[in-house]
Amino acid sequence: MSKLAEKVALVTGGSRGIGAAIAKRLAADGASVAITYAKDAGAASAVVKAIELGGGKAVAIQADAADVEAVKRAVEKTVATFGRIDVLVNNAGTAIPKTFEETTLEEMDRVIDINVRGTFAATQASLKHMKSGGRIIMIGSAVGERVAAPGLVPYAGTKGAVKMFSQALSREVGSRGITVNNVQPGPIDTDLNPAAGDWAVPQKAATALGRYGHVEEVAALVAFVAGPESSYITGANLTVDGGMNA
Ligand code: NDP
């Protein structure tokens, strides 16, 4: 029996990168999966097709994480399509790498709106429907724990906020049998943080394993947290960073 059979998951920002790998992995484990995306409808529908080709069920929903009403509608559409929601993965996120003093307030707002406000909104809307056994999973960052390089000040601030949001929320929803955990990736090869190029060299060197991670390595941890075997794990920050923060 598949670990996530009969379960329904919503993965925000699931059309590319880490979110797409999570969506595919949760579907492979038996869940019906809704993904949101902001701009790239073609990439989103390719993820849906890949899941369907594997025998799974999936739907793509356009919803900018910075638009709270769109985020709420995405949760409602997930429930309307698949009848329930058991797993929310708050993956949609962005970074605008530059020094803090060069970063405009508008850029800071954008990072906060997507990484924090969108996460709050999706979580609140999902909790309305979630039953015992539910899983709220944040995709935070290793820089929510320790920041090895300059240029990520607002981003690291938002990921620190996501971390404490997870811990605090675990205290409110634990009595309902819902767990809340924060998965913190280190450098993972995606469009946001490509493993090729100057910016990658110090990140790779900072890991114990001397390499970037693959999106599937994050998805494997998320699948475990989403599944039945993680039932006593909540309020935890689970780092998958090749030893960057060791
Ligand atoms: P990518 O930029 O590769 O992919 C981002 C995904 O999110 C795409 O599907 C994109 O869809 C979607 N997205 C972007 N902006 C929005 C938005 N405003 N609303 C809804 N969806 C959106 O990012 P990663 O896969 O690298 O990152 C995913 C998460 O992992 C983020 O939270 C990031 O902070 C975190 N992370 C990443 C690390 C890394 O090294 N890659 C390290 C630590 C954490 P579309 O194309 O349609 O915009």
Side-chain angles (χ1 to χ4, degrees):
M1 178 96 167
S2 305
K3 284 182 182 166
L4 295 177
E6 314 295 322
K7 302 285 185 191
V8 174
L10 169 60
V11 182
T12 67
S15 59
R16 290 184 289 113
I18 293 170
I22 293 169
K24 289 177 190 167
R25 174 62 197 261
L26 297 183
D29 284 0
S32 299
V33 179
I35 60 169
T36 65
Y37 65 96
K39 296 183 197 117
D40 194 343
S45 77
V47 171
V48 169
K49 282 203 184 91
I51 289 172
E52 287 173 346
L53 272 175
K57 288 187 194 147
V59 64
I61 305 163
Q62 199 279 332
D64 191 320
D67 178 347
V68 168
E69 291 310 315
V71 169
K72 286 188 198 165
R73 281 196 298 275
V75 171
E76 295 308 319
K77 185 160 180 200
T78 301
V79 175
T81 306
F82 295 124
R84 53 192 287 156
I85 181 166
D86 303 283
V87 179
L88 169 67
V89 184
N90 279 305
N91 166 80
T94 199
I96 304 176
K98 49 164 75 172
T99 68
F100 179 62
E101 285 173 279
E102 284 168 347
T103 306
T104 66
L105 273 173
E106 288 72 23
E107 288 168 333
M108 291 181 208
D109 280 344
R110 178 92 187 135
V111 175
I112 291 168
D113 284 353
I114 295 171
N115 296 7
V116 181
R117 205 156 165 271
T119 295
F120 284 8
T123 304
Q124 205 171 43
S126 298
L127 281 170
K128 286 197 182 121
H129 300 279
M130 222 172 245
K131 304 250 173 13
S132 180
R135 301 275 190 270
I136 308 277
I137 304 169
M138 318 299 166
I139 305 301
S141 170
V143 305
E145 292 280 349
R146 194 179 296 182
V147 190
L152 288 171
V153 176
Y155 177 75
T158 63
K159 294 299 185 178
V162 161
K163 172 185 163 173
M164 290 316 299
F165 169 57
S166 306
Q167 291 179 225
L169 184 65
S170 72
R171 296 281 182 186
E172 286 201 13
V173 299
S175 59
R176 286 169 56 188
I178 296 170
T179 67
V180 187
N181 291 292
N182 178 33
V183 168
Q184 303 188 124
I188 307 296
D189 186 16
T190 66
D191 296 339
L192 186 69
N193 189 6
D198 293 348
W199 174 241
V201 175
Q203 293 189 71
K204 215 179 293 179
T207 66
L209 295 177
R211 67 168 176 88
Y212 263 50
H214 310 297
V215 289
E216 292 80 11
E217 292 174 309
V218 179
L221 177 56
V222 172
F224 175 75
V225 177
E229 289 168 299
S230 71
S231 47
Y232 201 53
I233 300 174
T234 195
N237 299 294
L238 304 165
T239 300
V240 47
D241 71 348
M244 185 181 236
N245 283 351

